[in-house]
Amino acid sequence: MRKIIYGVLLLGLILVGVGIGALLASVATRQTEAAQYPLQVVEISEDEIDPSVWGLNFPMHYDRFSMTSINYGETPYGGAEPYSKLERYPAMIRLWAGYAFSRDHNEERGHFYAQIDQENTERVKIVSQPGACINCHAGETPQLIASMGWEQFNATPYNDLVDQLHTGSTCADCHDPETMALRLTRPGLINALEQQGRDWTEASRQEMRSLVCAQCHVEYYFAGDNKVLTFPWSEGMNIDEIEAYYDDLGFRDWVHAETGAPMIKIQHPETELYSTGLHASSDVACADCHMPYIRTGGIKISDHWLRSPLTNVSAACQTCHNLPEEQLEARITTIQDRTAELLRSSEEALLEAIDTIVAAKEAGATDEDLAEAYQFHRASQMRWDFISSENSTGFHSPQEAARVLANSIDLAHRAKFSAATVLNTLSGQNVNFTP
């Protein structure tokens, strides 16, 4: 009996030893993999923009980046499905009356489609757009700027350059090919930071994990006859400071086709709204949520499948928030539902304001009579557009989004009341136009 017990113990010790040995071998293999990655297979030149060439040295990063071509479907207010926002939110057609966005405005797809979708949008076909539009949609941009010069590149019509565009977002947009360090390649952001007195070359790596995104995910306009891409940040980055910048400049993107008000089209101010939120003040970078770390064997990389964190809550959110996935999803969608409700209310108020201004014009009101109503219309719609065109439906800064939309609704009511006062004066009526 004693021999049997000793035999079992000996066998157990042997099995434990084998297990420990296998574990140590696995750890050593993973460490070797990590030490060897990336393997330099090719020399990558400074002007190499083909992601597949970079992928020879960085196959895991490239495989994940290639997944930005995947249509993973819709989230409640975004996703990768290119549906028409004009059909889903028809108020936009009147709000942008007279501007190209009233003809074509779709939900964006992944970074893989940056150049493809721009070339195919009706906005570059029905209106002659400047080359400045290419800044964020083509990997060829830095080379074109180098050969043409910054101002000439911006001023050249988009359709004169489109035949030279074949690559969308690329590794070279954000990475130095020699060191793989993050870098800025777009003069628009570099110039804006210089105006703010910021030296991006001194930025920390964590700051760079947001700055590379800020090259494109911002509000901008085309300044002067040369249509130079410019960020309106010299007064600050919230919508009130951006409005002050445009008003001081007397700038307008277009004249509203129904009211005649001088309007601003806000682009996609993710950086500006995010900068007012809790994640920004907590030093959470864009990449932390949109490119969370993943592990393949012994290798840890940033997930280059850039996408909505709603499709990847476990990696994007639970790394910091020790809460069930369902609870985190519910928190996100609640914020977005509340923001969407305010957006729809803002649109209704703006449409009422437009109707009243149009009625006043039909009654004989002049531009001078309606100057105050125009200013309120412009200010209200600028705020609606700031939240509507920003791609988080308020999540990047919920309190700021609610504040901006509340002001938008109030300003729309002021536009309506101002126009109604003119209308009553001209018609001799005394109609009560209060909300």
Side-chain angles (χ1 to χ4, degrees), residues 45-288:
S45 64
E46 177 69 22
D47 58 356
E48 180 56 68
I49 62 172
D50 183 349
S52 67
V53 175
W54 292 64
L56 295 174
N57 287 349
F58 305 96
M60 295 181 187
H61 294 78
Y62 175 66
D63 286 348
R64 300 298 293 184
F65 175 75
S66 297
M67 294 173 77
T68 61
S69 65
I70 294 175
N71 181 350
Y72 57 78
E74 293 187 26
T75 61
Y77 299 99
E81 183 69 33
Y83 62 83
S84 168
K85 289 194 173 183
L86 299 181
E87 292 178 3
R88 185 164 300 186
Y89 308 111
M92 291 178 174
I93 297 173
R94 289 193 67 199
L95 297 183
W96 288 322
Y99 203 55
F101 273 82
S102 69
R103 303 280 295 276
D104 185 15
H105 178 46
N106 297 327
E107 172 64 24
E108 301 90 346
R109 295 190 287 180
H111 282 66
F112 175 84
Y113 297 99
Q115 190 273 326
I116 297 170
D117 283 354
Q118 184 185 40
E119 184 176 347
N120 291 321
T121 178
E122 291 297 314
R123 297 197 298 272
V124 299
K125 299 175 182 175
I126 60 178
V127 176
S128 177
Q129 302 284 3
C133 293
I134 298 168
N135 266 282
C136 293
H137 291 271
E140 289 84 358
T141 295
Q143 296 171 23
L144 288 170
I145 293 172
S147 64
M148 300 173 66
W150 173 236
E151 295 213 3
Q152 186 61 39
F153 164 75
N154 282 288
T156 302
Y158 172 86
N159 288 325
D160 289 357
L161 298 172
V162 67
D163 289 343
Q164 302 180 54
L165 310 178
H166 310 289
T167 310
S169 298
T170 177
C171 315
D173 292 336
C174 305
H175 291 286
D176 183 303
E178 184 174 345
T179 66
M180 285 303 290
L182 293 170
R183 66 176 181 179
L184 302 186
T185 56
R186 299 302 195 267
L189 176 60
I190 294 171
N191 294 340
L193 294 175
E194 285 179 355
Q195 286 187 347
Q196 292 181 332
R198 298 173 63 186
D199 180 0
W200 71 269
T201 63
E202 299 295 324
S204 67
R205 183 172 184 278
Q206 184 67 355
E207 290 172 321
M208 288 299 294
R209 296 177 79 232
S210 289
L211 283 177
V212 292
C213 308
Q215 296 184 104
C216 296
H217 291 267
V218 291
E219 161 62 4
Y220 59 81
Y221 74 107
F222 304 144
D225 293 337
N226 285 340
K227 306 296 182 185
V228 176
L229 182 76
T230 306
F231 298 178
W233 288 1
S234 62
E235 303 284 338
M237 294 172 66
N238 71 35
I239 185 59
D240 306 310
E241 294 159 335
I242 289 172
E243 177 189 36
Y245 176 96
Y246 283 134
D247 286 351
D248 289 345
L249 200 63
F251 182 79
R252 71 186 187 197
D253 280 311
W254 92 105
V255 174
H256 195 276
E258 293 193 49
T259 68
M263 306 298 286
I264 298 292
K265 173 71 188 79
I266 300 292
Q267 305 304 324
H268 27 71
E270 282 83 61
T271 295
E272 291 89 341
L273 187 64
Y274 151 84
S275 71
T276 65
L278 181 60
H279 284 97
S281 63
S282 302
D283 201 26
V284 176
C286 304
D288 287 320

Side-chain angles (χ1 to χ4, degrees), residues 11-24:
L11 180 60
L13 288 172
I14 291 172
L15 290 175
V16 170
V18 170
I20 291 174
L23 176 62
L24 291 174

